[in-house]
Short mmCIF file of all heavy atoms in Angstrom, two decimals:
data_model
loop_
_atom_site.label_atom_id
_atom_site.label_comp_id
_atom_site.label_asym_id
_atom_site.label_seq_id
_atom_site.Cartn_x
_atom_site.Cartn_y
_atom_site.Cartn_z
N ASN A 226 -2.37 -18.46 -42.88
CA ASN A 226 -3.67 -19.08 -42.59
C ASN A 226 -4.75 -18.65 -43.58
O ASN A 226 -5.84 -19.23 -43.58
CB ASN A 226 -4.12 -18.74 -41.17
CG ASN A 226 -3.41 -19.57 -40.13
OD1 ASN A 226 -3.25 -20.78 -40.29
ND2 ASN A 226 -2.93 -18.94 -39.06
N ASN A 227 -4.48 -17.66 -44.41
CA ASN A 227 -5.44 -17.22 -45.42
C ASN A 227 -5.36 -18.16 -46.62
O ASN A 227 -4.44 -18.10 -47.42
CB ASN A 227 -5.13 -15.78 -45.84
CG ASN A 227 -6.14 -15.24 -46.83
OD1 ASN A 227 -7.01 -15.95 -47.34
ND2 ASN A 227 -6.04 -13.96 -47.11
N ASN A 228 -6.37 -19.03 -46.75
CA ASN A 228 -6.30 -20.03 -47.82
C ASN A 228 -6.39 -19.43 -49.22
O ASN A 228 -6.08 -20.08 -50.21
CB ASN A 228 -7.38 -21.12 -47.64
CG ASN A 228 -8.79 -20.54 -47.58
OD1 ASN A 228 -9.02 -19.40 -47.95
ND2 ASN A 228 -9.73 -21.34 -47.11
N LYS A 229 -6.80 -18.16 -49.32
CA LYS A 229 -6.84 -17.52 -50.63
C LYS A 229 -5.43 -17.24 -51.17
O LYS A 229 -5.25 -17.00 -52.36
CB LYS A 229 -7.64 -16.22 -50.56
CG LYS A 229 -9.13 -16.43 -50.28
CD LYS A 229 -9.87 -15.11 -50.23
CE LYS A 229 -11.35 -15.33 -49.92
NZ LYS A 229 -12.11 -14.06 -49.85
N LEU A 230 -4.44 -17.27 -50.28
CA LEU A 230 -3.06 -17.01 -50.68
C LEU A 230 -2.31 -18.28 -51.06
O LEU A 230 -1.26 -18.22 -51.68
CB LEU A 230 -2.31 -16.30 -49.55
CG LEU A 230 -2.79 -14.90 -49.16
CD1 LEU A 230 -1.98 -14.39 -47.97
CD2 LEU A 230 -2.69 -13.94 -50.34
N TRP A 231 -2.86 -19.45 -50.68
CA TRP A 231 -2.15 -20.71 -50.93
C TRP A 231 -1.95 -20.90 -52.43
O TRP A 231 -2.88 -20.72 -53.23
CB TRP A 231 -2.92 -21.89 -50.35
CG TRP A 231 -3.07 -21.83 -48.87
CD1 TRP A 231 -2.42 -21.00 -48.00
CD2 TRP A 231 -3.96 -22.62 -48.07
NE1 TRP A 231 -2.84 -21.22 -46.72
CE2 TRP A 231 -3.79 -22.20 -46.72
CE3 TRP A 231 -4.88 -23.61 -48.35
CZ2 TRP A 231 -4.51 -22.77 -45.68
CZ3 TRP A 231 -5.61 -24.18 -47.31
CH2 TRP A 231 -5.41 -23.76 -45.99
N GLY A 232 -0.74 -21.24 -52.83
CA GLY A 232 -0.43 -21.47 -54.23
C GLY A 232 0.07 -20.23 -54.94
O GLY A 232 0.61 -20.32 -56.05
N THR A 233 -0.09 -19.06 -54.32
CA THR A 233 0.46 -17.85 -54.92
C THR A 233 1.95 -17.76 -54.61
O THR A 233 2.48 -18.52 -53.79
CB THR A 233 -0.25 -16.59 -54.39
OG1 THR A 233 -0.06 -16.48 -52.97
CG2 THR A 233 -1.74 -16.64 -54.67
N VAL A 234 2.62 -16.85 -55.29
CA VAL A 234 4.08 -16.74 -55.15
C VAL A 234 4.44 -15.31 -54.77
O VAL A 234 4.00 -14.36 -55.42
CB VAL A 234 4.79 -17.14 -56.46
CG1 VAL A 234 6.29 -16.94 -56.33
CG2 VAL A 234 4.48 -18.59 -56.81
N LEU A 235 5.23 -15.15 -53.71
CA LEU A 235 5.72 -13.85 -53.27
C LEU A 235 7.23 -13.86 -53.32
O LEU A 235 7.87 -14.73 -52.72
CB LEU A 235 5.25 -13.55 -51.84
CG LEU A 235 3.74 -13.44 -51.60
CD1 LEU A 235 3.46 -13.24 -50.11
CD2 LEU A 235 3.15 -12.30 -52.40
N ASN A 236 7.81 -12.91 -54.05
CA ASN A 236 9.27 -12.83 -54.18
C ASN A 236 9.89 -14.16 -54.60
O ASN A 236 10.94 -14.56 -54.13
CB ASN A 236 9.90 -12.36 -52.86
CG ASN A 236 9.41 -10.99 -52.46
OD1 ASN A 236 8.62 -10.85 -51.53
ND2 ASN A 236 9.85 -9.97 -53.16
N GLY A 237 9.17 -14.86 -55.49
CA GLY A 237 9.67 -16.14 -55.97
C GLY A 237 9.48 -17.30 -55.03
O GLY A 237 10.01 -18.40 -55.28
N ILE A 238 8.73 -17.11 -53.93
CA ILE A 238 8.54 -18.14 -52.91
C ILE A 238 7.06 -18.47 -52.81
O ILE A 238 6.22 -17.58 -52.72
CB ILE A 238 9.06 -17.67 -51.55
CG1 ILE A 238 10.53 -17.23 -51.66
CG2 ILE A 238 8.92 -18.76 -50.49
CD1 ILE A 238 11.00 -16.38 -50.52
N GLU A 239 6.74 -19.75 -52.81
CA GLU A 239 5.34 -20.16 -52.77
C GLU A 239 4.75 -20.00 -51.37
O GLU A 239 5.40 -20.27 -50.37
CB GLU A 239 5.21 -21.63 -53.20
CG GLU A 239 3.75 -22.10 -53.24
CD GLU A 239 3.60 -23.53 -53.71
OE1 GLU A 239 4.63 -24.18 -54.00
OE2 GLU A 239 2.45 -24.02 -53.76
N VAL A 240 3.50 -19.55 -51.32
CA VAL A 240 2.76 -19.47 -50.06
C VAL A 240 1.98 -20.76 -49.89
O VAL A 240 1.24 -21.17 -50.78
CB VAL A 240 1.80 -18.27 -50.05
CG1 VAL A 240 1.07 -18.19 -48.70
CG2 VAL A 240 2.55 -16.97 -50.32
N CYS A 241 2.14 -21.41 -48.73
CA CYS A 241 1.58 -22.75 -48.53
C CYS A 241 0.64 -22.80 -47.33
O CYS A 241 0.61 -21.90 -46.48
CB CYS A 241 2.72 -23.75 -48.30
SG CYS A 241 3.92 -23.83 -49.64
N ASN A 242 -0.07 -23.90 -47.26
CA ASN A 242 -0.90 -24.24 -46.10
C ASN A 242 0.03 -24.51 -44.90
O ASN A 242 1.01 -25.25 -45.03
CB ASN A 242 -1.70 -25.49 -46.44
CG ASN A 242 -2.66 -25.90 -45.34
OD1 ASN A 242 -2.43 -25.66 -44.17
ND2 ASN A 242 -3.75 -26.53 -45.74
N PRO A 243 -0.25 -23.93 -43.73
CA PRO A 243 0.62 -24.18 -42.56
C PRO A 243 0.79 -25.64 -42.20
O PRO A 243 1.80 -26.01 -41.59
CB PRO A 243 -0.10 -23.41 -41.43
CG PRO A 243 -0.85 -22.33 -42.14
CD PRO A 243 -1.31 -22.95 -43.44
N ASP A 244 -0.17 -26.49 -42.59
CA ASP A 244 -0.05 -27.92 -42.27
C ASP A 244 1.21 -28.54 -42.88
O ASP A 244 1.71 -29.56 -42.39
CB ASP A 244 -1.28 -28.68 -42.76
CG ASP A 244 -2.52 -28.34 -41.94
OD1 ASP A 244 -2.37 -27.75 -40.86
OD2 ASP A 244 -3.64 -28.66 -42.39
N LYS A 245 1.73 -27.94 -43.94
CA LYS A 245 2.92 -28.48 -44.59
C LYS A 245 4.18 -28.36 -43.73
O LYS A 245 5.20 -29.00 -44.00
CB LYS A 245 3.15 -27.78 -45.94
CG LYS A 245 2.19 -28.20 -47.04
CD LYS A 245 2.59 -27.60 -48.36
CE LYS A 245 1.79 -28.20 -49.50
NZ LYS A 245 2.14 -29.61 -49.75
N ILE A 246 4.09 -27.53 -42.67
CA ILE A 246 5.24 -27.38 -41.77
C ILE A 246 5.70 -28.74 -41.25
O ILE A 246 6.89 -28.97 -41.04
CB ILE A 246 4.86 -26.46 -40.59
CG1 ILE A 246 4.70 -25.01 -41.10
CG2 ILE A 246 5.89 -26.51 -39.47
CD1 ILE A 246 4.10 -24.07 -40.08
N GLN A 247 4.74 -29.65 -41.07
CA GLN A 247 5.06 -30.97 -40.54
C GLN A 247 5.95 -31.78 -41.49
O GLN A 247 6.60 -32.73 -41.07
CB GLN A 247 3.76 -31.74 -40.28
CG GLN A 247 2.82 -31.03 -39.31
CD GLN A 247 1.45 -31.68 -39.24
OE1 GLN A 247 1.22 -32.56 -38.41
NE2 GLN A 247 0.54 -31.28 -40.11
N GLU A 248 5.96 -31.41 -42.78
CA GLU A 248 6.71 -32.17 -43.77
C GLU A 248 8.15 -31.68 -43.92
O GLU A 248 8.96 -32.35 -44.55
CB GLU A 248 6.01 -32.07 -45.14
CG GLU A 248 4.56 -32.52 -45.12
CD GLU A 248 3.86 -32.22 -46.45
OE1 GLU A 248 4.55 -31.84 -47.42
OE2 GLU A 248 2.62 -32.37 -46.50
N TRP A 249 8.47 -30.50 -43.37
CA TRP A 249 9.77 -29.89 -43.62
C TRP A 249 10.69 -29.99 -42.40
O TRP A 249 10.25 -29.92 -41.26
CB TRP A 249 9.59 -28.41 -43.98
CG TRP A 249 8.74 -28.15 -45.18
CD1 TRP A 249 8.70 -28.90 -46.33
CD2 TRP A 249 7.81 -27.09 -45.36
NE1 TRP A 249 7.80 -28.35 -47.21
CE2 TRP A 249 7.24 -27.24 -46.65
CE3 TRP A 249 7.41 -26.00 -44.58
CZ2 TRP A 249 6.29 -26.37 -47.15
CZ3 TRP A 249 6.46 -25.12 -45.08
CH2 TRP A 249 5.92 -25.31 -46.35
N ASP A 250 11.96 -30.10 -42.68
CA ASP A 250 12.99 -30.11 -41.63
C ASP A 250 13.73 -28.78 -41.70
O ASP A 250 14.67 -28.62 -42.47
CB ASP A 250 13.95 -31.29 -41.84
CG ASP A 250 15.00 -31.37 -40.74
OD1 ASP A 250 14.76 -30.77 -39.66
OD2 ASP A 250 16.04 -32.00 -40.96
N MET A 251 13.29 -27.81 -40.91
CA MET A 251 13.81 -26.45 -40.97
C MET A 251 14.60 -26.12 -39.71
O MET A 251 14.33 -26.66 -38.62
CB MET A 251 12.65 -25.46 -41.11
CG MET A 251 11.87 -25.56 -42.42
SD MET A 251 12.84 -25.02 -43.84
CE MET A 251 13.20 -26.59 -44.62
N ASP A 252 15.55 -25.19 -39.84
CA ASP A 252 16.30 -24.72 -38.67
C ASP A 252 15.42 -23.84 -37.79
O ASP A 252 15.44 -23.94 -36.56
CB ASP A 252 17.53 -23.93 -39.12
CG ASP A 252 18.54 -24.82 -39.83
OD1 ASP A 252 18.92 -25.84 -39.25
OD2 ASP A 252 18.94 -24.47 -40.96
N TYR A 253 14.68 -22.93 -38.44
CA TYR A 253 13.86 -21.98 -37.68
C TYR A 253 12.54 -21.70 -38.40
O TYR A 253 12.45 -21.81 -39.63
CB TYR A 253 14.59 -20.63 -37.50
CG TYR A 253 15.81 -20.72 -36.64
CD1 TYR A 253 17.08 -20.86 -37.21
CD2 TYR A 253 15.72 -20.64 -35.25
CE1 TYR A 253 18.21 -20.94 -36.43
CE2 TYR A 253 16.85 -20.72 -34.45
CZ TYR A 253 18.10 -20.87 -35.04
OH TYR A 253 19.21 -20.94 -34.25
N LEU A 254 11.56 -21.34 -37.62
CA LEU A 254 10.32 -20.77 -38.15
C LEU A 254 10.23 -19.35 -37.62
O LEU A 254 10.33 -19.12 -36.41
CB LEU A 254 9.09 -21.57 -37.72
CG LEU A 254 7.76 -21.04 -38.29
CD1 LEU A 254 6.85 -22.18 -38.69
CD2 LEU A 254 7.04 -20.11 -37.30
N ILE A 255 10.09 -18.38 -38.52
CA ILE A 255 10.02 -16.98 -38.12
C ILE A 255 8.59 -16.49 -38.29
O ILE A 255 8.01 -16.60 -39.38
CB ILE A 255 10.97 -16.11 -38.98
CG1 ILE A 255 12.41 -16.63 -38.88
CG2 ILE A 255 10.90 -14.66 -38.53
CD1 ILE A 255 13.39 -15.87 -39.72
N ILE A 256 8.02 -15.99 -37.22
CA ILE A 256 6.65 -15.47 -37.27
C ILE A 256 6.70 -14.05 -37.82
O ILE A 256 7.18 -13.13 -37.16
CB ILE A 256 5.99 -15.50 -35.88
CG1 ILE A 256 5.93 -16.93 -35.34
CG2 ILE A 256 4.59 -14.89 -35.94
CD1 ILE A 256 5.41 -17.03 -33.93
#
């Protein structure tokens, strides 16, 4: 939810806006 992190990369994985969850077909979401 921290928009300052959006677009940054952690361990080779992009940090995104949570709204994008609606676009993905995932098995699980881990909090």
Side-chain angles (χ1 to χ4, degrees):
N226 282 316
N227 183 351
N228 57 16
K229 293 180 181 179
L230 296 177
W231 298 347
T233 61
V234 176
L235 298 176
N236 299 107
I238 305 162
E239 183 178 0
V240 182
C241 303
N242 183 330
D244 289 346
K245 286 187 171 290
I246 290 170
Q247 302 171 91
E248 304 172 10
W249 301 323
D250 182 19
M251 294 290 107
D252 293 307
Y253 294 96
L254 182 140
I255 303 178
I256 300 175

